[in-house]
Amino acid sequence: MPSTPAGSTLSTFASIRRLHPYVRSAIPPLAGGLLSALGASLAALAIPHVLQYVVDGPLARGVATHDWTGLAWSVVLVLAFGLAEVGLVALRRNLVMFPGTRVEHAMRMAMFRHLQDLPAAFHDRWPGGQLLSRVMADLGLLRRWLVFGLLQLVLNVCTIAVGVGVLVATAGWLGLVYLAGALPVVVIVFRFSRRYRVISRRSQDQSGDLANTVEESVHGIRVLKAFGRGSDALHSFTGQADTLRRTELHKAGVDARLMAALTLIPELTLGVCLVLGVWLTGTEQMTVGDLVLFFATTAVVGGPVVDLGMSLSMTINARSAVDRYFEVMETAPELTDPERPVALPADSRGHVALRDVAFAYPDAGHPDRAVLRHVDLDLPAGTTTALVGLTGSGKSTLAMLVPRIYDVTGGQVLLDDVDVRDLARHDLRRHVAVAFEDPTLFSASVRDNVLLGVPESGPGAVGEAERDRRMHEALEVAQAGFVHDLPDGVDTRIGEEGLSLSGGQRQRLALARAIAARPRVLVLDDPLSALDVTTEEAVTRRLAQVLHGTTTLVIAHRPSTVALADRVAVLEDGRITAVGAHSELLATSAHYRHVISSLEEDYVSHDHPGSAVTPADEEVSA
Amino acid sequence: MNTPAPRRRPTDAAHDDETRFDRLTSRAVRRRSIGLLRDLLRPHVRLLVWAAVLVSASSAAQVAGPWLVSLAIDVALPALPGDVVPLAAVGGAYLAAAVLAGVAIGTYRRVAARIAQNVLLDLRRRVFRQTQRLSLEFHESYTSGRIISRQTSDLEALRELLDGGLVGVISSLLVMLFTAVGLTVLDPVSGLVLMTGFLPAWFLMRWFRKHSQAAYREQRTWSARLIVKFVETMTGIRAVQAFNREATTEAEYDRIGQAYRDANLRIFGINGRFAPGLLLIGNVTVVVALAVGGWRVLEGTLAVGVLVAVLLYVKRFFAPIQQIAMFYNAFQSAAAALEKVSGLLAEEPTVVEPAEPVDLPAPRGELRLEGVRFAYGDGPVVLPGLDLTIPAGQTVALVGTTGAGKSTIAKLVTRFYDATDGRVLVDGVDIRDIASPVLRRNVVMVTQEAYLFSGSVAENIALGRPDATREEIEAAARAVGAHEFVTRLPEGYDTEVNKRGGRVSAGQRQLLSFARAFLADPTVLVLDEATSSLDLPGERLVQRGLQTLLADRTAIIIAHRLSTVEIADRVLVLEHGQVLEDGSPDELVSHGGRFAALNAAWQDSLV
């Protein structure tokens, strides 16, 4: 995550103003809601006055004259104000509820869209819990602020400003004293805002981290259980939750000080005003009526001043939420579609070429940490190439460059002589299918999982019958016949929300998915690792037939997987050091023998215990 | 969910998404939820009382203000200019009240936050502990997203209740009660009018409870679905992007998001009738009180002064009504959230801790399966009846096709599941009688999915034994051949492994998880496809490490690669949960059965 959060240097107002595009259409109803709220407060304020008027006027007169109409009119008047208040309150609620929830939904969808657009490199950096807390908790906070806090804040500030204005204009000395009391309040509010902002942000970040720990504790439940580390996990979770609790308490402490100040200072000022006012009245510089009016007006201002604390902290929390939201939204995707995407030639056959490719992860720091350096590799159209190398040599990274899951940091990847960065991502990925080494299945039916890469509409879409045919063929090739024994066959729901499958089963479905997409280029990342020998043999045999004509890059750890390939490329320390047929490389490349051949065993274990690199390797790379 | 469950769904988890219950279930669920709330608040009764005192003191001090003003005008003013003492006294009292009000409200805010945060910490821990306690069987159907939503957005609802004036409402209710009593004493007829106003309010509350309950349940359910979808999409983002699924996923997320929005709108709608409804009742009651009182004044049966007081009382009675409405709303929201949380907490693990655990004082690691039958829930029988003894110190390889029951044996021996029938014994003790810390210390499993937690490489290895020193961690890494690649990482053992081990390849992850097992140093080690992603040199190193490691301990190895099987003392060929062949690798090869065929195929594949 970036060290200086986006927007942290903005003023609260400037930060919140970034919401404008999302709330634009919501402004009229929100303004209407504000007016209704104002009207409702006025009606509410009017009722006691009307009551007083009724009692003093018609009713007092009525006792003498038995004036029934006077009473009736008063009752009607009070009823009218009462109903007006209720009506305006109901109106306010109805006006703000639609825009509030709409804005929340629109912002949530915008973030989801953006997150799907951001490349894998971003998702490597950002823990899931942080994203989740932004898209759920922060946007929920914002919704509540829009429908409640914002109105409250504006209402409070307006009431206070008008009230203080009236006091200064009408109450002479007393008004000035009251205004003097307002000065420290303003200072305190500003200091509060600054401090609260930091803590509010910290608490929201910490709850995001906590969400992340929860996510990991569930995703890693098997490991925690296997080692009986549940109580250790609980212990460290407790520590983290306690940190959040302390932050929250700190936040409440700052908030408490503001609340105390907002109660204390105006009341103290009023105490001074009381003594001064009574003295002024006593010395006949003021009338009792003036004094009563002064205190009646301050009573109206008092409530909003106390409420100001709450609406302020709510606003600052909303501001942190906005910052956290835009921190993600303002992360420009470093992997984008070109401005003028090139279309792949219609007769494109799927020739992939890597030219002087370099790749380093963005946070790698030192250039020596580059994963790939000066990689040149040709995958001739229609052929199958096996990529062989030690674990961690960069094979998977290299494979991910073809469908642009990552972008090269140097050189280029060409598909039919077109730089993949000049193609629209969707266009490119329609032609390149991947079976990842971590087979990800989604909560959907077997059918939907296998047909994931077969579009339902748009370019490349095929009819229902063809989809069905492809699915069955892909399942057959991947030896995934087990799906027919599932409770609902291919319609059985799998993935997290459905049946859980074994590693080998998942891998076969991921393979079937890549095959069913019928791409021009197929990338298979160690696709058979979890299969047993017999199944592997069967898959290999069928796969070799299907792959005919498809440009395929298959990452292999075992000779049996290499057998799929027409040729083999050896990746060593981020460079391709040899390309050739399997038998050829066995003869010429010591590193290849070391990686793929079991016959090397004696050599390694006897002569160089503990070392994975043989002297022969260095000869090759030198 | 419309998945016809092939397995037994553990108890309530499947009903978790229901929003409309029949009356009886609804009550039971609600009672469970309120019970949890009560249980959570119980340790904080003193603090709650203290908070109530503070908030009452603060309101009292603030209410004293107007009274002091009237005192100043009625008593202190006439005494001037001769006697300033009354003015000084009243002024002093006013200042004192101001300080009291301010200090009390500030302290109240702190105390209330302490209660809220303690309760939340308590609940977070409970949910976390429960999550760890529940069996794998539960996790396989509940989904991680739902647990995350229990821990995040459901808890948020409770927090709002606690922060939003759980205590403040007590003082409001007290004010209402005292006002009602005061009014009735002053003028019983008006008291009656107030009571009449209470009746429709009660019906309105009932209406609100009924409708908001369903609406909030719905909101919680959709919120959980939204989280589930989000977590799933972001976890599988590479696959989503690689297969151009962005538009489809977005449409699905949009659909759920809209349902969530609609659920929120429904709540707003219900609230939008409830809160103004209460206000209406309050305002109309004032009008009725005025009409009745005014009529009596005109009749001459009521003094005008009393009517003024009556009207003030009635007005004051309804003043906190908005606050009560907000509180009741927050309460319904929190109760719906607690329904879900308490449902999770009420789950019983299918793998039960022994009531009277038996210790393993000198574990040797002999494993025995006696007549073990196993089926996942109501699914097909995986193991029809297995008898198997593995003497202490033996390394056994399980070989067979997918579905032969290899992984099931591993899960039974490690007690991830319990046998449907029969017994699993470690050193002659039924593993159901062994306390899980003891069992986990002695029996450890390494699986194919080598999950890495965020944190450093060293921390991840130390998961095997948290108190291990750095030397021990490095020794473990060396033993499995992970040391070389770790030292080549930017910060060696202190390198943070990124999310889902982003920067560490699948093979390297497996090496790290092997190092964990090495460090854990268990009596019985179970390896379930633990080397599948290793390259051959890596595998050779691991095997060499294994030979040392397994020399004096019991091990069960499941591997598709027969190279791993070679180090076994004994091979079991399984099919449909039954042992077809049993013997040392050499014996089986010379015997010429299934293993011999597999071995031949494997030898062929080597170069």
Side-chain angles (χ1 to χ4, degrees):
Chain A
M1 276 182 293
S3 50
T4 36
S8 60
T9 52
L10 298 175
S11 72
T12 298
F13 179 70
S15 166
I16 285 178
R17 210 175 45 190
R18 289 180 291 178
L19 288 176
H20 187 251
Y22 298 101
V23 297
R24 193 166 28 210
S25 65
I27 289 175
L30 285 179
L34 183 65
L35 287 179
S36 316
L38 268 169
S41 321
L42 288 180
L45 279 175
I47 292 175
H49 288 275
V50 175
L51 283 178
Q52 191 195 7
Y53 159 77
V54 167
V55 171
D56 291 350
L59 222 51
R61 282 197 306 276
V63 183
T65 58
H66 287 265
D67 180 6
W68 294 103
T69 25
L71 176 63
W73 274 115
S74 333
V75 168
V76 168
L77 204 59
V78 176
L79 184 64
F81 274 105
L83 290 181
E85 187 195 358
V86 171
L88 285 168
V89 165
L91 182 64
R92 186 202 80 208
R93 287 181 168 273
N94 276 299
L95 278 174
V96 298
M97 72 183 206
F98 288 103
T101 48
R102 284 218 179 104
V103 167
E104 182 195 12
H105 180 68
M107 289 181 70
R108 179 168 290 133
M109 288 314 296
M111 179 145 166
F112 190 76
R113 212 172 297 129
H114 188 63
L115 285 174
Q116 286 207 335
D117 195 42
L118 283 166
F122 172 88
H123 291 276
D124 289 345
R125 278 197 310 274
W126 281 72
Q130 277 296 351
L131 298 178
L132 181 71
S133 74
R134 279 158 218 244
V135 88
M136 290 304 294
D138 286 349
L139 288 182
L141 205 73
L142 199 61
R143 180 216 327 143
R144 285 193 295 277
W145 180 74
L146 277 176
V147 302
F148 184 74
L150 175 61
L151 293 190
Q152 186 83 1
L153 183 71
V154 175
L155 220 54
N156 287 339
V157 170
C158 287
T159 318
I160 294 168
V162 170
V164 172
V166 168
L167 286 176
V168 172
T170 61
W173 280 109
L174 289 189
L176 289 179
V177 171
Y178 197 75
L179 187 65
L183 287 180
V185 169
V186 170
V187 173
I188 286 173
V189 161
F190 269 99
R191 279 183 40 194
F192 162 81
S193 304
R194 253 204 341 261
R195 292 177 60 187
Y196 194 79
R197 211 168 85 190
V198 177
I199 308 170
S200 144
R201 171 70 206 225
R202 192 188 305 149
S203 105
Q204 283 167 38
D205 284 347
Q206 283 175 352
S207 50
D209 291 340
L210 199 65
N212 200 53
T213 304
V214 171
E215 185 178 339
E216 287 193 351
S217 77
V218 185
H219 283 154
I221 187 85
R222 281 171 187 79
V223 174
L224 292 175
K225 275 197 178 297
F227 288 93
R229 289 287 163 257
S231 57
D232 298 279
L234 176 65
H235 185 74
S236 84
F237 173 79
T238 305
Q240 214 182 340
D242 195 50
T243 309
L244 174 62
R245 187 187 70 110
R246 280 168 206 277
T247 306
E248 287 289 341
L249 287 181
H250 185 184
K251 191 167 109 181
V254 173
D255 198 26
R257 238 174 292 165
L258 178 73
M259 274 176 86
L262 288 184
T263 309
L264 191 70
I265 295 173
E267 287 290 316
L268 280 180
T269 317
L270 282 181
V272 173
C273 287
L274 180 64
V275 174
L276 180 66
V278 169
W279 183 76
L280 285 174
T281 314
T283 54
E284 282 169 6
Q285 300 175 48
M286 235 178 121
T287 66
V288 176
D290 291 340
L291 196 61
V292 171
L293 183 67
F294 173 79
F295 278 97
T297 317
T298 56
V300 175
V301 181
V305 170
V306 173
D307 285 350
L308 186 66
M310 198 181 71
S311 46
L312 251 184
S313 38
M314 206 168 168
T315 303
I316 293 171
N317 285 331
R319 181 249 151 96
S320 299
V322 170
D323 281 354
R324 280 163 50 86
Y325 177 82
F326 281 102
E327 197 174 296
V328 174
M329 293 303 284
E330 286 169 2
T331 306
E334 57 256 58
L335 197 154
T336 49
D337 283 335
E339 247 168 67
R340 265 178 234 144
V342 176
L344 268 186
D347 60 342
S348 132
R349 302 213 34 243
H351 174 188
V352 176
L354 282 76
R355 297 274 175 261
D356 197 27
V357 162
F359 180 83
Y361 284 102
D363 52 1
H366 207 270
D368 282 358
R369 304 254 179 233
V371 182
L372 301 173
R373 272 168 293 173
H374 306 296
V375 169
D376 284 297
L377 180 64
D378 260 279
L379 309 178
T383 62
T384 298
T385 307
L387 188 60
V388 174
L390 286 173
T391 184
S393 58
K395 301 185 297 294
S396 297
T397 308
L398 188 152
M400 291 307 118
L401 297 177
V402 182
R404 286 190 80 199
I405 300 296
Y406 291 100
D407 257 348
V408 295
T409 45
Q412 51 182 177
V413 178
L414 304 170
L415 174 58
D416 289 318
D417 297 325
V418 181
D419 190 316
V420 289
R421 286 169 296 183
D422 292 336
L423 295 166
R425 279 171 295 167
H426 275 215
D427 205 24
L428 169 68
R429 289 168 185 169
R430 207 152 45 78
H431 295 298
V432 182
V434 192
F436 294 93
E437 63 184 339
D438 278 329
T440 308
L441 297 182
F442 293 97
S443 298
S445 64
V446 170
R447 178 192 303 274
D448 290 346
N449 265 291
V450 172
L451 293 175
L452 200 69
V454 185
E456 283 148 64
S457 57
V462 291
E464 204 47 53
E466 171 63 12
R467 286 168 67 82
D468 220 47
R469 211 184 59 71
R470 280 201 198 179
M471 176 190 66
H472 284 292
E473 190 199 52
L475 286 173
E476 190 261 323
V477 172
Q479 300 296 312
F482 69 89
V483 297
H484 301 296
D485 300 330
L486 295 177
D488 293 308
V490 293
D491 294 314
T492 309
R493 201 175 159 88
I494 52 171
E496 242 215 325
E497 286 184 84
L499 258 183
S500 38
L501 303 174
S502 78
Q505 290 172 325
R506 291 214 309 272
Q507 203 171 41
R508 276 177 277 170
L509 288 185
L511 180 62
R513 173 194 290 168
I515 297 168
R518 289 286 176 86
R520 278 181 205 156
V521 180
L522 191 57
V523 175
L524 305 175
D525 194 349
D526 203 9
L528 311 173
S529 64
L531 306 189
D532 59 74
V533 186
T534 333
T535 316
E536 186 186 6
E537 223 175 62
V539 174
T540 316
R541 206 173 331 111
R542 286 292 285 122
L543 202 54
Q545 296 166 9
V546 178
L547 292 187
H548 189 74
T550 308
T551 314
T552 306
L553 181 67
V554 56
I555 293 174
H557 281 136
R558 286 189 270 179
S560 48
T561 317
V562 172
L564 278 170
D566 305 312
R567 50 208 280 284
V568 181
V570 181
L571 186 64
E572 190 184 349
D573 281 339
R575 307 172 70 158
I576 299 284
T577 50
V579 179
H582 171 63
S583 51
E584 213 176 291
L585 291 179
L586 272 184
T588 57
S589 167
H591 186 68
Y592 184 63
R593 274 200 305 278
H594 167 62
V595 174
I596 208 74
S597 164
S598 312
L599 306 176
E600 203 72 0
E601 191 172 356
D602 296 336
Y603 177 71
V604 175
S605 54
H606 292 158
D607 297 336
H608 291 85
S611 162
V613 183
T614 67
D617 293 332
E618 280 147 28
E619 276 169 45
V620 173
S621 56
Chain B
M1 284 191 303
N2 46 16
T3 323
R7 291 181 188 172
R8 175 164 48 94
R9 293 281 179 178
T11 56
D12 273 349
H15 303 298
D16 194 67
D17 276 357
E18 299 283 333
T19 48
R20 294 192 188 276
F21 302 110
D22 59 72
R23 259 178 96 107
L24 237 85
T25 327
S26 176
R27 274 214 193 131
V29 167
R30 190 42 61 124
R31 205 175 308 130
R32 189 184 66 200
S33 148
I34 307 288
L36 174 62
L37 183 61
R38 208 177 298 136
D39 194 37
L40 287 165
L41 288 175
R42 193 169 298 132
H44 307 294
V45 171
R46 275 160 180 272
L47 274 184
L48 281 167
V49 171
W50 174 221
V53 168
L54 283 169
V55 78
S56 308
S58 166
S59 357
Q62 276 173 292
V63 169
W67 175 69
L68 288 171
V69 171
S70 70
L71 214 61
I73 293 171
D74 294 346
V75 179
L77 186 57
L80 284 179
D83 188 4
V84 291
V85 175
L87 179 59
V90 171
Y94 201 103
L95 294 182
V99 172
L100 176 64
V103 171
I105 197 73
T107 316
Y108 158 71
R109 176 80 184 84
R110 259 177 259 244
V111 172
R114 218 162 91 207
I115 298 171
Q117 290 304 319
N118 288 348
V119 165
L120 283 175
L121 181 64
D122 182 11
L123 190 56
R124 282 201 174 103
R125 279 174 47 87
R126 286 189 199 200
V127 174
F128 194 91
R129 191 190 298 121
Q130 173 74 353
T131 314
Q132 294 298 323
R133 193 173 77 104
L134 286 169
S135 322
L136 221 50
E137 193 177 1
F138 173 84
H139 286 286
E140 278 170 0
S141 66
Y142 199 76
T143 78
S144 55
R146 280 219 228 136
I147 288 176
I148 295 166
S149 89
R150 297 294 93 94
Q151 275 277 31
T152 56
S153 78
D154 288 347
L155 253 64
E156 200 57 36
L158 175 63
R159 176 219 164 103
E160 257 154 53
L161 172 71
L162 296 172
D163 271 359
L166 174 64
V167 181
V169 88
I170 299 172
S171 79
S172 299
L173 284 172
L174 282 178
V175 167
M176 288 176 87
L177 182 70
F178 288 139
T179 315
V181 170
L183 177 64
T184 313
V185 170
L186 182 72
D187 179 33
V189 180
S190 298
L192 211 62
V193 169
L194 192 67
M195 290 305 138
T196 329
F198 210 72
L199 204 66
W202 187 75
F203 277 110
L204 185 62
M205 296 275 240
R206 233 178 61 145
W207 172 86
F208 175 73
R209 189 185 61 217
K210 190 171 154 229
H211 287 81
S212 69
Q213 229 174 54
Y216 272 116
R217 276 177 190 148
E218 208 170 348
Q219 185 215 31
R220 294 327 312 158
T221 302
W222 283 110
S223 145
R225 285 188 187 146
L226 205 54
I227 291 176
V228 167
K229 186 77 197 165
F230 185 84
V231 170
E232 185 182 80
T233 307
M234 294 309 146
T235 312
I237 189 73
R238 285 158 196 251
V240 169
Q241 291 184 343
F243 288 95
N244 281 337
R245 295 308 282 180
E246 291 96 335
T248 323
T249 323
E250 188 189 320
E252 180 67 8
Y253 190 71
D254 190 34
R255 188 183 65 79
I256 301 171
Q258 283 187 24
Y260 176 63
R261 188 194 66 191
D262 292 345
N264 274 329
L265 275 179
R266 245 188 308 283
I267 289 166
F268 272 123
I270 293 167
N271 240 325
R273 273 171 279 177
F274 174 61
L278 280 182
L279 192 64
L280 178 68
I281 291 168
N283 284 353
V284 168
T285 309
V286 171
V287 171
V288 173
L290 174 66
V292 172
W295 179 68
R296 285 160 66 212
V297 168
L298 293 189
E299 286 283 282
T301 50
L302 192 71
V304 177
V306 177
L307 177 61
V308 172
V310 163
L311 291 177
L312 282 179
Y313 270 127
V314 176
K315 194 69 194 143
R316 191 189 294 167
F317 180 83
F318 286 105
I321 204 86
Q322 291 300 321
Q323 197 199 347
I324 304 258
M326 268 171 67
F327 166 79
Y328 200 51
N329 181 40
F331 176 78
Q332 291 299 337
S333 164
L338 282 177
E339 280 179 13
K340 305 275 183 196
V341 176
S342 64
L344 176 61
L345 291 178
E347 284 290 330
E348 277 305 321
T350 42
V351 172
V352 192
E353 277 291 290
E356 286 165 38
V358 178
D359 200 12
L360 292 176
R364 293 173 297 116
E366 185 213 47
L367 290 174
R368 208 157 70 232
L369 281 74
E370 289 182 355
V372 168
R373 204 178 86 89
F374 184 79
Y376 289 99
D378 307 326
V381 174
V382 185
L383 298 178
L386 185 67
D387 288 297
L388 178 66
T389 303
I390 301 176
Q394 193 176 58
T395 300
V396 176
L398 303 183
V399 175
T401 51
T402 305
K406 305 180 304 270
S407 290
T408 306
I409 293 177
K411 286 177 188 160
L412 290 176
V413 168
T414 47
R415 216 178 165 220
F416 275 35
Y417 285 84
D418 271 340
T420 316
D421 280 315
R423 304 198 293 165
V424 178
L425 307 162
V426 175
D427 291 336
V429 180
D430 191 320
I431 65 169
R432 283 171 296 193
D433 293 333
I434 305 173
S436 86
V438 177
L439 183 70
R440 300 283 170 226
R441 195 165 56 239
N442 287 295
V443 183
V444 160
M445 171 151 80
V446 181
T447 62
Q448 184 188 9
E449 299 134 64
Y451 190 86
L452 296 187
F453 294 87
S454 52
S456 68
V457 171
E459 281 163 8
N460 266 288
I461 297 175
L463 199 90
R465 186 150 54 84
D467 58 356
T469 63
R470 177 54 72 92
E471 287 72 36
E472 289 170 320
I473 290 171
E474 287 185 20
R478 262 199 200 90
V480 299
H483 183 71
E484 281 74 19
F485 95 79
V486 174
T487 45
R488 266 183 280 133
L489 291 172
E491 286 159 64
Y493 283 88
D494 295 316
T495 311
E496 294 278 318
V497 293
N498 281 314
K499 190 179 149 198
R500 288 186 290 281
R503 290 303 149 69
V504 185
S505 78
Q508 292 170 335
R509 254 182 299 163
Q510 287 193 340
L511 285 179
L512 291 181
S513 90
F514 244 109
R516 272 178 193 158
F518 231 90
L519 199 59
D521 192 25
T523 320
V524 178
L525 184 63
V526 180
L527 305 175
D528 188 358
E529 277 301 319
T531 54
S532 60
S533 296
L534 293 186
D535 53 38
L536 292 176
E539 199 182 4
R540 283 196 288 268
L541 280 172
V542 166
Q543 267 174 42
R544 210 147 30 80
L546 274 180
Q547 273 170 338
T548 349
L549 177 72
L550 301 184
D552 55 348
R553 71 190 81 216
T554 315
I556 296 179
I557 300 178
I558 300 170
H560 295 314
R561 302 199 201 174
L562 295 194
S563 49
T564 317
V565 172
E566 278 185 327
I567 61 166
D569 304 318
R570 176 182 173 194
V571 172
L572 295 173
V573 180
L574 291 168
E575 175 131 339
H576 302 307
Q578 273 158 334
V579 178
L580 290 188
E581 294 171 26
D582 182 353
S584 75
D586 293 343
E587 272 168 39
L588 292 189
V589 168
S590 57
H591 177 262
R594 193 173 295 222
F595 181 74
L598 283 174
N599 192 53
W602 174 64
Q603 293 291 351
D604 279 351
S605 77
L606 295 180
V607 283

